[in-house]
Amino acid sequence: MRITMDSWPHPQPLTNRLELVAVPRPVLTALVSGRAAAALPPPLVTPYLAGEECAGLWRMRSMQLSDKPGDAPWVTRFVVVPGVSGAVGAAGFHGAPDQVGMVEVGYRIAPEHRRNGYARQALEILLSVAGSSPDVRVVRASISPENHASRALIQQFAFAEVGEQWDDEDGLETLFEMVLRTQ
């Protein structure tokens, strides 16, 4: 499968219509510059996505895409639910598969939309995309030990705990990996 900027639908579109929509570069630039409220289409960009909680994410992805434009189809997307005004969160990979075929998932849902199954559906889409890409062998998730909701979600899939790492921004993280295919 060739990964493109097209929207990623849920693997079961008849029962789950949530999709992951690519963040266009001008929208990403506006999010980074703080001009989001004035410059962006209100149907997708919400105060949560344009706010302080997501600001670091947009800065990081903007710098990443300046260095590695080829990562654009893989990285953070808006989580869009039909019938809900604005994106309910963001989800995607941290980048294209690395030299050993690993991708790392990331997702965040706005507080007012949590506990509705949106993170689960976004993760299901990410796993479907990873599974359909022959370049991906392993999917990783790094989660803070205090993030009980995310840990509970990831443990419902075929992820195994493989260690820990220190992240300068997020602190201690537990590493979980799912092997999709071996060499």
Side-chain angles (χ1 to χ4, degrees), residues 25 62-73 75 95-98:
R25 192 60 190 241
S62 180
M63 288 187 296
Q64 174 184 2
L65 295 181
S66 291
D67 293 340
K68 297 169 115 181
D71 280 3
V75 299
D98 67 11

Side-chain angles (χ1 to χ4, degrees), residues 13-183:
L14 297 178
T15 56
N16 296 304
R17 294 181 26 232
L18 179 146
E19 63 182 10
L20 302 183
V21 176
V23 178
R25 192 60 190 241
V27 173
L28 180 60
T29 301
L31 285 164
V32 170
S33 72
R35 294 180 291 113
L40 301 178
L44 285 182
V45 179
T46 62
Y48 170 76
L49 292 169
E52 191 57 37
E53 190 170 337
C54 294
L57 170 68
W58 305 126
R59 280 191 302 274
M60 178 175 47
R61 293 298 171 237
S62 180
M63 288 187 296
Q64 174 184 2
L65 295 181
S66 291
D67 293 340
K68 297 169 115 181
D71 280 3
W74 289 90
V75 299
T76 310
R77 292 166 173 252
F78 292 132
V79 178
V80 177
V81 179
V84 175
S85 179
V88 300
F93 299 101
H94 289 209
D98 67 11
Q99 64 277 8
V100 297
M102 185 181 69
V103 291
E104 185 169 346
V105 295
Y107 46 85
R108 59 177 69 188
I109 304 297
E112 67 271 20
H113 294 292
R114 292 179 184 156
R115 304 197 58 76
N116 288 310
Y118 299 146
R120 168 186 290 284
Q121 291 177 51
L123 179 58
E124 289 168 347
I125 292 171
L126 294 173
L127 293 175
S128 175
V129 168
S132 66
S133 175
D135 296 332
V136 178
R137 292 191 171 99
V138 176
V139 177
R140 172 178 278 181
S142 55
I143 303 170
S144 163
E146 291 81 35
N147 189 340
H148 302 292
S150 192
R151 290 172 71 88
L153 172 61
I154 211 82
Q155 290 173 344
Q156 294 173 30
F157 293 85
F159 283 86
E161 187 174 328
V162 297
E164 294 179 335
Q165 71 179 11
W166 182 263
D167 183 88
D168 289 336
E169 226 176 274
D170 299 326
L172 181 65
E173 297 175 326
T174 306
L175 301 176
F176 297 89
E177 292 183 355
M178 174 191 290
V179 176
L180 299 179
R181 55 185 65 83
T182 57
Q183 303 248 60

